[in-house]
Amino acid sequence: MELLSALSLGELALSFSRVPLFPVFDLSYFIVSILYLKYEPGAVELSRRHPMASWLCAMLHCFGSYILADLLLGEPLIDYFSNNSSILLASAVWYLIFFCPLDLFYKCVCFLPVKLIFVAMKEVVRVRKIAVGIHHAHHHYHHGWFVMIATGWVKGSGVALMSNFEQLLRGIWKPETNEILHMSFPTKASLYGAVLFTLQQTRWLPVSKATLIFIFTMFMVSCKVFLTATHSHSSPFDVLEGYICPVLFGAACGGDHHHDNHGGPHGGGGGPGPQHSAMPAKSKEELSEGSRKKKTKKAD
């Protein structure tokens, strides 16, 4: 009984919230972030031809959330780059992933059981960044709910919201890949998490910050590890959004569904429309052709 009382949820959550992120958790965050960069088409070729551009992209993948948050709060965008330890650690990870002989480091961290551990640890960093971002925004704007939500969102979403800018550094322009139009699970979860932490920060959610950090971290770790292990790109929110969005907005939410519906009238989804419009046009052509033949016969 004494052991159970010592391991109560409140004390466990408080101890968990005090675990330092640097260097172990930050290292995992950098590894997974730069792995995703290497998965991008042309990223390996870019690292060989333009290593400086590749390094800048890697830094954006690691620290893009801090840059966006500083931009929202009117602080120096380059402020976080004064953290020499984090920059050197992220740079070392970038070099090992792209330039390690025989790709040994890349092969080790891509081994699924090892990768799942890094993915889980990255989610710990993500949730902590959301909480810290909202606390920082609350310090500047005590009653600015939307400012706090936006700051927490960009803190958790990382480079996803800067994907178009990061692509420009790699010489690619794909505006249709905008994260706002096609939100991934981490981006949606960061937004919902930012709302929860804002409610907690403004005393509308009767739970301690340490407990909320612990519960939301467990949720994020469970979902992201499962999605990574099953190689799934779906979202646990899809079912809930499938019921709520038609009621509130009259259509299903989601980037992919929106894209399909938007393209429907131009493709298979809106087939009957073009067919009906094409039929009269074809009939007119036939009538004009027939009239021309009649005129030719009369002339003959």
Side-chain angles (χ1 to χ4, degrees):
M1 295 297 294
E2 294 180 359
L3 180 61
L4 291 176
S5 61
L7 295 177
S8 63
L9 178 60
E11 293 180 2
L12 179 62
L14 185 60
S15 301
F16 178 78
S17 65
R18 292 175 177 174
V19 174
L21 297 180
F22 188 86
V24 178
F25 288 91
D26 282 344
L27 175 63
S28 302
Y29 186 90
F30 298 154
I31 289 175
V32 177
S33 298
I34 298 177
L35 271 181
Y36 290 153
L37 171 62
K38 190 168 184 177
Y39 294 156
E40 293 292 331
V44 176
E45 291 77 7
L46 179 71
S47 66
R48 302 298 188 269
R49 297 178 182 178
H50 307 286
M52 180 55 67
S54 176
W55 179 81
L56 285 174
C57 290
M59 295 304 102
L60 277 182
H61 273 260
C62 295
F63 309 113
S65 58
Y66 299 100
I67 296 174
L68 275 180
D70 290 339
L71 179 65
L72 287 179
L73 298 177
E75 298 180 351
L77 302 183
I78 204 169
D79 184 60
Y80 193 81
F81 284 85
S82 62
N83 191 336
N84 297 325
S85 300
S86 296
I87 298 297
L88 290 175
L89 183 60
S91 300
V93 171
W94 164 77
Y95 186 85
L96 289 173
I97 287 180
F98 281 94
F99 300 102
C100 182
L102 303 177
D103 267 348
L104 290 178
F105 186 79
Y106 172 75
K107 292 175 182 177
C108 290
V109 297
C110 275
F111 182 53
L112 187 58
V114 177
K115 183 181 178 181
L116 293 179
I117 296 175
F118 290 143
V119 167
M121 297 175 75
K122 180 182 179 179
E123 297 310 309
V124 175
V125 178
R126 187 196 305 276
V127 176
R128 196 80 65 87
K129 285 165 64 177
I130 295 173
V132 171
I134 289 174
H135 178 78
H136 186 50
H138 181 260
H139 178 73
H140 292 279
Y141 304 92
H142 292 285
H143 304 289
W145 284 37
F146 292 102
V147 176
M148 287 185 274
I149 292 174
T151 305
W153 186 29
V154 301
K155 278 277 192 174
S157 299
V159 75
L161 297 175
M162 299 178 65
S163 58
N164 293 114
F165 178 73
E166 185 269 336
Q167 288 170 359
L168 284 177
L169 291 179
R170 295 189 280 116
I172 300 173
W173 174 242
K174 293 182 178 180
E176 68 275 5
T177 61
N178 192 323
E179 184 69 14
I180 302 295
L181 299 178
H182 309 281
M183 285 193 188
S184 59
F185 165 69
T187 303
K188 288 183 180 181
S190 297
L191 177 58
Y192 298 149
V195 173
L196 291 176
F197 279 100
T198 299
L199 293 175
Q200 190 280 328
Q201 185 70 45
T202 53
R203 311 291 183 181
W204 283 87
L205 190 62
V207 64
S208 67
K209 180 179 291 187
T211 303
L212 183 58
I213 289 175
F214 179 78
I215 295 175
F216 196 69
T217 300
M218 293 302 104
F219 168 76
M220 290 296 295
V221 168
S222 303
C223 293
K224 200 67 173 74
V225 167
F226 175 78
L227 294 176
T228 304
T230 57
H231 304 285
S232 174
H233 296 284
S234 61
S235 170
F237 303 121
D238 288 344
V239 177
L240 183 62
E241 292 173 352
Y243 286 102
I244 295 179
C245 290
V247 176
L248 296 179
F249 307 112
C253 295
D256 295 334
H257 294 210
H258 173 79
H259 178 71
D260 292 341
N261 292 338
H262 182 73
H266 304 283
Q275 289 176 1
H276 288 301
S277 61
M279 290 288 287
K282 188 174 181 181
S283 300
K284 289 179 181 179
E285 290 177 0
E286 292 175 350
L287 290 174
S288 61
E289 183 67 18
S291 62
R292 282 197 298 270
K293 289 181 179 178
K294 291 180 180 177
K295 292 180 180 179
T296 305
K297 289 181 179 179
K298 290 180 180 180
D300 292 341

